[in-house]
């Protein structure tokens, strides 16, 4: 019998290790979307070779003043499905709510975001299974899109961080409701805070939307309160560290506790999430812009720097062509630049005008 028990434990452990397919699928999709974005961006041809890491050719990056995160241009982010106020409210392109969570602003954003998703998501999926974590990931990403839409300005925004913060909110809810049963509380809190702060600071740079992160975090906390009160538990050695770490005795207590589930907490959390989802959806469909009522809100998503500003202003430029050179002058501030080419698309013209202004 002891041999059979050992085999059963090993089989169960192997099954749990394999139950991270949801996180893996989302990570692969996001990497694929970023590769496709850089393929469409084609800096070498569209920007006449004015690129970072030119040796990459078609996959080289826009100049750092244009995209400090090593990524595509504004127009190509728009083309791939980024959110922008005018595209959502004037052109009614609501499909962008579903593409927005899969886009990254650049390599730095991609690496930090996906490494955080893997670090947090794999641990959660080990303990709670792929179905529940998959539902939380998807719903947090969508609510993040809705919340971001209420604060949009007329520059492209991407929100892959919304789903990550959904996982962080889920982790926080699990820590809060099962606090007494964790054997390594400090390590779990420190890891959560570190991932939260690093990704939120990155959101102050252009194109990365912090409001999606806020919406995803709130959604993740509420959904975690609904779904994660009964994890798929297994005994864990007391000295083992990790994001979710139950001691052996605590694991037994928590199993007993699950028999006395908290239906009121689940119901209240579900009602609050439903109100959040419905309220944001109605507000987005009515084109509400919270920035009109909150002058400091844009600074939650942006810190002014020499290469960019946080003001939502229309840009326009004058052009002059001479000797195969293009001179562009910003009407708003008088800045100008001379480019050694004249054949550019309208989308690329807007990119350069925004850069100058």
């Amino acid at each position: 019998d002891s041999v059979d028990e050992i085999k059963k434990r090993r089989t169960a452990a192997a099954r749990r290790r394999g139950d991270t397919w949801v996180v893996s699928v989302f990570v692969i999709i996001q990497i694929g979307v970023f590769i496709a974005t850089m393929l469409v961006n084609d800096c070498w041809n569209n920007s006449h070779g004015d690129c970072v890491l030119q040796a990459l050719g078609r996959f080289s990056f826009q100049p750092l003043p244009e995209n400090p995160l090593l990524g595509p241009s504004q127009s190509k982010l728009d083309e791939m499905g980024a959110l922008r106020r005018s595209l959502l409210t004037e052109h009614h392109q609501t499909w962008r709510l579903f593409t927005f969570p899969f886009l990254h602003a650049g390599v730095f954003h991609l690496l930090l975001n996906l490494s955080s998703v893997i670090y947090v998501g794999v641990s959660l999926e080990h303990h709670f299974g792929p179905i529940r974590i998959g539902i939380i990931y998807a719903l947090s990403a969508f609510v993040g899109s809705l919340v971001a839409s209420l604060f949009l300005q007329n520059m492209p925004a991407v929100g892959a961080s919304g789903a990550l913060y959904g996982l962080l909110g889920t982790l926080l809810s699990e820590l809060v409701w099962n606090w007494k049963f964790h054997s390594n509380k400090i390590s779990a809190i420190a890891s959560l805070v570190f991932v939260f702060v690093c990704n939120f600071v990155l959101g102050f740079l252009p194109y990365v939307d912090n409001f999606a992160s806020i919406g995803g975090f709130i959604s993740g906390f509420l959904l975690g309160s609904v779904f994660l009160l009964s994890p798929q538990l297994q005994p864990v050695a007391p000295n083992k560290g990790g994001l979710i770490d139950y001691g052996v005795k605590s694991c037994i207590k928590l199993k007993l506790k699950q028999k006395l589930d908290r239906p009121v907490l689940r119901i209240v959390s579900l009602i609050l999430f439903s109100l959040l989802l419905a309220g944001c959806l109605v507000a987005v469909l009515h084109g509400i812009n919270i920035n009109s009522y909150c002058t400091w809100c844009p600074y939650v998503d942006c810190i002014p720097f020499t290469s960019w500003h946080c003001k939502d202003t229309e840009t326009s430029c004058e052009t002059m062509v001479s000797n195969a050179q293009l001179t562009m002058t910003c009407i708003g501030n008088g800045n100008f630049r001379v480019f050694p080419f004249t054949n550019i698309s309208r989308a690329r013209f807007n990119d350069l005008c925004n850069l100058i202004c």
Side-chain angles (χ1 to χ4, degrees):
D1 291 340
S2 60
V3 174
D4 291 337
E5 284 295 325
I6 292 173
K7 288 182 179 179
K8 288 180 181 178
R9 290 196 194 100
R10 288 178 178 175
T11 302
R15 188 180 299 113
R16 282 190 298 269
R17 284 193 294 271
D19 280 350
T20 57
W21 61 268
V22 163
V23 171
S24 301
V25 166
F26 282 122
V27 167
I28 292 171
I29 290 174
Q30 300 215 21
I31 292 174
V33 170
F34 185 74
I35 292 174
T37 302
M38 296 311 302
L39 190 66
V40 170
N41 185 66
D42 191 8
C43 180
W44 184 257
N45 291 314
N46 293 328
S47 299
H48 298 81
D50 183 18
C51 311
V52 177
L53 297 179
Q54 297 179 0
L56 296 177
R58 189 183 184 97
F59 291 94
S60 54
F61 309 107
Q62 297 302 127
L64 291 179
E66 188 175 350
N67 189 332
L69 293 169
L70 288 181
S73 63
Q74 288 192 20
S75 59
K76 297 307 176 182
L77 285 174
D78 284 335
E79 191 174 328
M80 292 300 294
L83 278 175
R84 187 193 287 257
R85 171 151 293 278
S86 58
L87 296 176
L88 189 62
T89 58
E90 296 174 16
H91 299 279
H92 306 291
Q93 297 179 359
T94 53
W95 57 268
R96 293 178 180 273
L97 294 171
F98 302 97
T99 55
F100 170 81
F102 292 96
L103 293 172
H104 291 83
V107 170
F108 294 143
H109 184 206
L110 178 78
L111 293 178
L112 181 58
N113 180 266
L114 293 190
S115 61
S116 300
V117 166
I118 293 170
Y119 178 61
V120 178
V122 168
S123 179
L124 286 169
E125 202 171 347
H126 269 311
H127 286 81
F128 301 101
I131 303 302
R132 286 186 281 184
I133 298 304
I135 292 172
I136 291 172
Y137 187 101
L139 288 176
S140 297
F142 182 62
V143 173
S145 296
L146 294 177
V147 173
S149 299
L150 301 177
F151 298 89
L152 285 176
Q153 301 195 49
N154 277 316
M155 66 179 298
V158 299
S161 299
L164 165 63
Y165 276 82
L167 297 179
L168 290 175
T170 298
L171 178 61
L172 179 62
S173 71
E174 195 280 332
L175 285 171
V176 169
W177 304 127
N178 296 324
W179 178 257
K180 295 180 180 179
F181 304 98
H182 278 270
S183 59
N184 202 347
K185 301 177 178 66
I186 302 302
S187 175
I189 293 174
S191 299
L192 191 155
V193 171
F194 179 77
V195 174
F196 186 104
V197 171
C198 287
N199 284 273
F200 202 82
V201 168
L202 191 71
F204 290 120
L205 297 178
Y207 315 130
V208 182
D209 196 293
N210 269 341
F211 290 106
S213 302
I214 295 171
F217 187 79
I218 296 171
S219 298
F221 184 86
L222 294 174
L223 290 170
S225 301
V226 174
F227 290 114
L228 304 192
L229 293 179
S230 55
Q232 298 170 352
L233 290 169
Q234 67 270 9
V236 180
N239 60 349
K240 179 182 177 182
L243 284 173
I244 302 174
D245 184 14
Y246 305 111
V248 176
K249 293 182 179 179
S250 296
C251 182
I252 295 172
K253 290 180 181 178
L254 189 51
K255 282 183 177 179
L256 295 174
K257 181 184 176 185
Q258 289 167 13
K259 296 179 180 179
L260 301 174
D261 200 358
R262 290 171 283 189
V264 174
L265 175 60
R266 289 180 186 271
I267 293 171
V268 170
S269 299
L270 182 59
I271 291 173
L272 290 176
F273 173 77
S274 300
L275 291 174
L276 173 65
L277 176 62
C280 289
L281 188 59
V282 170
V284 169
L285 293 177
H286 282 78
I288 292 177
N289 181 10
I290 295 181
N291 290 327
S292 301
Y293 312 98
C294 177
T295 56
W296 55 266
C297 284
Y299 297 101
V300 176
D301 191 42
C302 174
I303 291 181
F305 192 63
T306 54
S307 299
W308 65 84
H309 59 78
C310 302
K311 297 179 181 179
D312 190 16
T313 56
E314 294 291 336
T315 58
S316 57
C317 294
E318 293 180 340
T319 61
M320 182 177 66
V321 178
S322 62
N323 299 325
Q325 291 183 330
L326 176 68
T327 303
M328 293 181 61
T329 304
C330 178
I331 296 176
N333 56 23
N335 291 340
F336 72 93
R337 278 187 62 180
V338 179
F339 301 96
F341 48 78
T342 58
N343 57 328
I344 60 173
S345 65
R346 182 65 189 176
R348 187 63 190 147
F349 174 84
N350 292 333
D351 290 339
L352 295 175
C353 183
N354 289 328
L355 179 63
I356 296 170
C357 292

